[in-house]
Amino acid sequence: MSHFAIVAPALYSHVKALEALAACLVARGHRVTFVHQADARSLISEPRIGFFAVGQKSHPEGRMARTLDRLANPSGAGLFAMIRDLAETTDMLCRELPAAFEALGIDGVIADQMEPAGALVAEGLGLPFVSVACALPVNRETGLPLPVMPFRLAESERAQGMYATSERIYDQMMGRHAQVVARHALAFGLSPRRGLHECLSPLAQISQTPLAFDFPRTRLPDTFHAVGPLRLPNAGARHRRLEELPLPERFVFASLGTLQGHRFGLFKKIARACKRQGKALLIAHCGKLDAAQEAALTRAGATVAVDFVDQREALNRAEAVITHGGLNTVVDAIDTATPMLVVPLAFDQPGVAARVLYHGLGERAFHFSRPATLAQKLARLDAFDYRERLTALQAPLRAAGGAERAAAIAEQALTTHRPVYTESAHEAVV
């Protein structure tokens, strides 16, 4: 039995994906422990998975609420405050993880691509590590826009110029975080690096993004494994069931994820748009709105507004989904062949929306769009063959292997300390 550490951003969607991977590793006889600030403990619900708190001085209990608030409102001055918080968290983890790994007797590390501390510390200590992309992969390729950018894929000189310029601007904005990465890479005796894309595992890189959904890739390493969604079988068991709600057989499902569920104004416009189209609407706000706001949404046109529902159950019944473009929701929509209206808000959501458009899986709108515009986009979901295109992606998605395959890849890489190559993954990983 080996003991593996997981280092990831303290974000619900990332932790839940990695919790599914961890549960599969535990079933294979290993021990798995999340390592992060104390507040992150509340995100772990699987009792077989451990948690070890670090950074009590710089990141005491209660501090994470400030970071989550900034992540939920990443604009203006709040954007740079958010980047500062991310840099401070990476700095804390790079300082604290070496002692934590020694105390825990860690044999290998599972590092989320979005938190480079796991990779930096593992490499610095000579521990094997695998990288996991819970969001769009950060692997860069010339000719492709960064995942945080909203650009459609194009080969024109103008488009390529926009991609390059936006990449330089992004790197400048992330300068504070890049300095932390560079400083700790130097302290650990590693080669120079500054960005997330320079902190990826040479042994195995695991991604939730199906290759059939991404932009065409030509430069992925031969240790890159697109396994599809990482989900626990009973992921929605604790949430409201649809039979408890007064819903008709067909309805539109709207969710803006766990960080953006507070956007009452946007939900209200969605409700009015559905009312214009005569469509029933189920809103799941992920616990971010109160009872008075729920009532106001029903007055605006929503059929039901609740905190949480079983998302896959909702998507299986929904005629369409209005989403912020979180990768988890979009991949679930592909798996259930549910046409999408994507309203991207932050992070990689613009990039996810661009891929939805590229593959013809739905429509895109903006958070400032009027209800009439949202209603027109909803009508287009009825008029075009989006469901047919979604259905075509189901087979490769379901064959990708999910959490079980991810666990097998991670286990092989972390126990043998050798690369797991994509071409032989299905045969060699058992």
Side-chain angles (χ1 to χ4, degrees), residues 271-288:
R272 288 173 174 168
C274 286
K275 187 175 182 179
R276 280 174 174 258
Q277 290 295 312
K279 295 180 180 294
L281 172 65
L282 166 62
I283 290 176
H285 56 75
C286 300
K288 301 299 183 180

Side-chain angles (χ1 to χ4, degrees), residues 319 333-334 337-341 356-357 359-364 377-393:
E319 61 179 283
I334 294 172
T338 310
M340 292 170 268
L341 172 53
V356 168
L357 294 180
H359 292 286
L361 309 178
E363 297 284 329
R364 177 177 64 186
K377 298 283 186 178
L378 274 175
R380 287 177 61 86
L381 293 184
D382 292 332
F384 294 92
D385 58 349
Y386 294 118
R387 198 174 294 274
E388 181 178 334
R389 296 184 189 129
L390 286 158
T391 301
L393 293 183

Side-chain angles (χ1 to χ4, degrees), residues 6 16-30 32 34 46 48-49 231-233 403-404 407:
I6 293 182
K16 288 305 168 187
L18 291 166
E19 193 176 25
L21 170 56
C24 292
L25 286 169
V26 170
R28 286 172 168 265
H30 302 288
V32 183
F34 277 79
E46 176 57 52
R48 297 173 296 167
I49 299 171
R231 303 282 190 276
L232 289 167
E404 289 287 352

Side-chain angles (χ1 to χ4, degrees), residues 70 73 182 184-185 215 253 284 294 312 319 329 332 356 362 421:
R70 288 172 174 170
N73 299 279
H184 285 287
F215 287 150
F253 175 52
E294 289 180 352
R312 287 188 56 79
E319 61 179 283
T329 303
D332 282 347
V356 168
Y421 295 107

